[in-house]
Amino acid sequence: EPEVTQTPSHQVTQMGQEVILRCVPISNHLYFYWYRQILGQKVEFLVSFYNNEISEKSEIFDDQFSVERPDGSNFTLKIRSTKLEDSAMYFCASSAGAEQYFGPGTRLTVT
Amino acid sequence: AQSVTQPDIHITVSEGASLELRCNYSYGATPYLFWYVQSPGQGLQLLLKYFSGDTLVQGIKGFEAEFKRSQSSLNLRKRSVHWSGAAEYFCAVGEGVTGGGNKLTFGTGTQLKVEL
């Protein structure tokens, strides 16, 4: 069964550093998403992406964040200058329609 | 703005017992509703969805849910819980538009513990 994959599973970075989180969505899906879950809190929407542009973004998704589909298979989330409060689990999801399928997540730890 | 409430933060059941997890939503139109499960260290797995039509929907792993418009709810049920069902369960609401790109709003989750 096709699934969404994410790399790395765990990323540790220092405050102020740039990080890129990678995702490979399900191959025939056209809609891509990033969500995050701070420890002990609910899953929060960050951004949706379709047809090579952002469809919607939340207030969390400020200028420090960017997304890209650099080729036909990868979907990336870049955080330009990480802050301590960016520490969270980041989930990528993809969909062909309304049902979103999630990857296993990348745990980002900012020290 | 859409919102989801899961009133029970923790639930403990005995193995073999039945289960009902509550979910209430707030949305101005007909929503798309989802239940996901997150096992420890894992991602979110889709259990079932409700879009329209029959108010009783079947999902994977023996789960079902009943949509009640009058109560703005989609409660998740299972007749007999196995110990492997211990996990966190999330209800989510998406905008009721066809196609993709819908932002999902999640509830705070219900942590299920299963006693042997």
Side-chain angles (χ1 to χ4, degrees), chain B residues 71-84:
Chain B
Q71 298 178 17
S72 297
S73 68
L74 182 75
N75 292 350
L76 183 70
R77 302 194 297 232
K78 188 166 185 180
R79 287 193 182 155
S80 176
V81 177
H82 189 261
W83 66 266
S84 60

Side-chain angles (χ1 to χ4, degrees), chain B residues 9-69:
Chain B
I9 299 173
H10 297 281
I11 285 184
T12 299
V13 298
S14 298
E15 188 174 41
S18 64
L19 172 70
E20 181 167 16
L21 302 182
R22 296 183 291 166
C23 171
N24 295 95
Y25 69 90
S26 173
Y27 184 64
T30 301
Y32 286 177
L33 295 165
F34 305 89
W35 274 99
Y36 285 87
V37 61
Q38 185 180 30
S39 299
Q42 302 295 312
L44 297 160
Q45 183 181 23
L46 180 64
L47 288 176
L48 55 77
K49 61 186 184 289
Y50 175 79
F51 292 165
S52 64
D54 194 347
T55 56
L56 188 63
V57 292
Q58 301 297 319
I60 64 171
K61 303 185 176 186
F63 284 95
E64 65 178 25
E66 185 174 11
F67 176 70
K68 292 185 178 179
R69 184 181 300 277

Side-chain angles (χ1 to χ4, degrees), chain A residues 31 33 35 37 41-45 48 55-56 58 89 91 95-105, chain B residues 4 32 34 36 38 41-44 46 49 51 88 90 95 97 99-108:
Chain A
Y31 300 91
Y33 314 82
Y35 292 81
Q37 184 182 30
Q41 299 186 23
K42 66 170 75 175
V43 177
E44 302 173 289
F45 169 80
S48 59
S55 313
E56 185 175 359
S58 70
M89 181 74 89
F91 292 106
S95 73
E99 299 168 45
Q100 296 180 26
Y101 294 87
F102 284 74
Chain B
V4 175
Y32 286 177
F34 305 89
Y36 285 87
Q38 185 180 30
Q42 302 295 312
L44 297 160
L46 180 64
K49 61 186 184 289
F51 292 165
E88 188 148 26
F90 291 94
E95 296 167 353
V97 295
N102 302 306
K103 173 181 81 172
L104 293 184
T105 299
F106 283 82
T108 49

Side-chain angles (χ1 to χ4, degrees), chain A residues 9-107:
Chain A
S9 57
H10 192 188
Q11 173 93 46
V12 181
T13 189
Q14 290 190 327
M15 197 166 49
Q17 295 298 303
E18 174 183 288
V19 294
I20 298 176
L21 309 183
R22 291 183 168 80
C23 168
V24 179
I26 294 172
S27 62
N28 63 339
H29 287 182
L30 299 178
Y31 300 91
F32 314 112
Y33 314 82
W34 284 100
Y35 292 81
R36 79 172 185 190
Q37 184 182 30
I38 295 172
L39 189 62
Q41 299 186 23
K42 66 170 75 175
V43 177
E44 302 173 289
F45 169 80
L46 291 178
V47 66
S48 59
F49 189 86
Y50 171 72
N51 200 24
N52 275 320
E53 58 183 31
I54 290 174
S55 313
E56 185 175 359
K57 59 183 180 179
S58 70
E59 292 177 353
I60 304 166
F61 195 89
D62 62 21
D63 292 344
Q64 294 299 316
F65 291 88
S66 63
V67 289
E68 189 179 29
R69 186 152 164 84
D71 54 44
S73 59
N74 291 283
F75 179 52
T76 62
L77 174 69
K78 182 192 291 186
I79 308 176
R80 188 166 24 176
S81 177
T82 50
K83 308 184 187 86
L84 293 175
E85 55 265 37
D86 293 328
S87 294
M89 181 74 89
Y90 288 80
F91 292 106
C92 173
S94 70
S95 73
E99 299 168 45
Q100 296 180 26
Y101 294 87
F102 284 74
T106 293
R107 178 162 297 286

